[in-house]
Amino acid sequence: MASEIRERIIDTAWKLFHEKGFSETTINDIIREAEISKGTFYYYFRSKDNMLDTLSVILDAEYERLAAEIPEDMDSFDKLLKINYEVHSFINDNIDYRLLAYLYSTQITKDQSSSLLDRNRFYFRFLEQIIEEGRRKGELTEELSVSETVKFYSLEERALVTDWCMNNGNYHLGEYSKKMFPMMIAGLRK
């Protein structure tokens, strides 16, 4: 029950951040939309800014949805392309580029570790699973370790997201990724 309430707060907040903008969204807006009390909000989060660290939760929910939908017999390289396209389209449609750019910049300058880079996230475990499977099937290269391959893949994804943010979100991130990402990770195919 507690995790459901926390997830509802997170989902509501990110929906409002996208619709109204981060600056214009108040804690009262989140409380009202999530149908919770102020005390409940503060039980889970210290502030609205503290909610920015929950982007990884939103993205991991999307990765979990994809993990359940992607056919097991799909080529591993194609799986990597599919999840990239789907998540980048999700970001395009649900996350304000200004907020994402701000979040990326704070991740660079803050002293504590980034929730987006937490290797215990579903995202990283899912990538490891696909890459290990692709190596076993002979579909993906073994030139890099699984860990290095995951790091390379996520670096390439962040490069596209960063460019999208720097260009003020003026193109569709998913469609651009669909065009560029196969070339960016072509070296992973065996």
Side-chain angles (χ1 to χ4, degrees):
M1 180 69 173
S3 64
E4 291 174 17
I5 293 169
R6 184 175 188 275
E7 287 177 28
R8 187 168 76 227
I9 295 168
I10 292 169
D11 290 343
T12 300
W14 281 94
K15 178 179 159 279
L16 290 170
F17 296 162
H18 179 70
E19 291 172 358
K20 297 177 70 169
F22 180 75
S23 299
E24 291 75 27
T25 301
T26 67
I27 290 174
N28 286 334
D29 293 334
I30 297 167
I31 289 167
R32 186 174 37 260
E33 187 85 15
E35 299 177 341
I36 57 166
S37 69
K38 193 170 267 197
T40 300
F41 177 87
Y42 284 110
Y43 177 79
Y44 292 101
F45 300 99
R46 292 186 311 268
S47 67
K48 182 176 75 166
D49 286 347
N50 184 241
M51 298 211 64
L52 291 176
D53 285 335
T54 64
L55 178 60
S56 59
V57 174
I58 295 292
L59 295 176
D60 276 356
E62 187 64 12
Y63 285 109
E64 287 182 43
R65 181 189 70 76
L66 289 168
E69 290 179 3
I70 292 178
E72 286 185 35
D73 61 345
M74 179 184 267
D75 177 86
S76 298
F77 188 81
D78 292 337
K79 284 182 183 180
L80 293 173
L81 295 179
K82 171 107 174 123
I83 63 173
N84 171 262
Y85 170 74
E86 293 291 336
V87 172
H88 280 187
S89 292
F90 174 83
I91 289 170
N92 186 91
D93 298 342
N94 296 285
I95 311 290
D96 186 308
Y97 75 89
R98 292 170 291 238
L99 182 55
L100 193 53
Y102 171 75
L103 179 59
Y104 269 32
S105 71
T106 63
Q107 300 294 298
I108 293 168
T109 59
K110 74 181 192 180
D111 294 331
Q112 62 214 39
S113 62
S114 166
S115 60
L116 290 172
L117 296 177
D118 179 356
R119 295 297 289 206
N120 294 315
R121 285 184 52 204
F122 181 83
Y123 166 72
F124 289 110
R125 293 190 320 268
F126 185 38
L127 288 178
E128 286 172 1
Q129 175 189 341
I130 293 170
I131 290 163
E132 286 170 353
E133 171 190 300
R135 290 167 68 138
R136 272 193 316 275
K137 291 179 173 179
E139 298 166 346
L140 299 177
T141 184
E142 295 183 31
E143 286 184 41
L144 301 172
S145 69
V146 171
S147 179
E148 289 172 314
T149 305
V150 168
K151 185 175 182 178
F152 173 77
Y153 177 91
S154 65
L155 174 89
E156 298 300 315
E157 281 197 320
R158 283 193 309 276
L160 288 167
V161 172
T162 301
D163 184 72
W164 179 69
C165 291
M166 291 175 69
N167 281 284
N168 302 321
N170 68 3
Y171 56 81
H172 191 281
L173 178 59
E175 293 304 319
Y176 189 68
S177 293
K178 188 182 222 178
K179 177 180 174 183
M180 302 305 285
F181 204 62
M183 292 182 284
M184 293 171 75
I185 67 165
L188 297 182
R189 190 185 286 265
K190 194 160 193 178

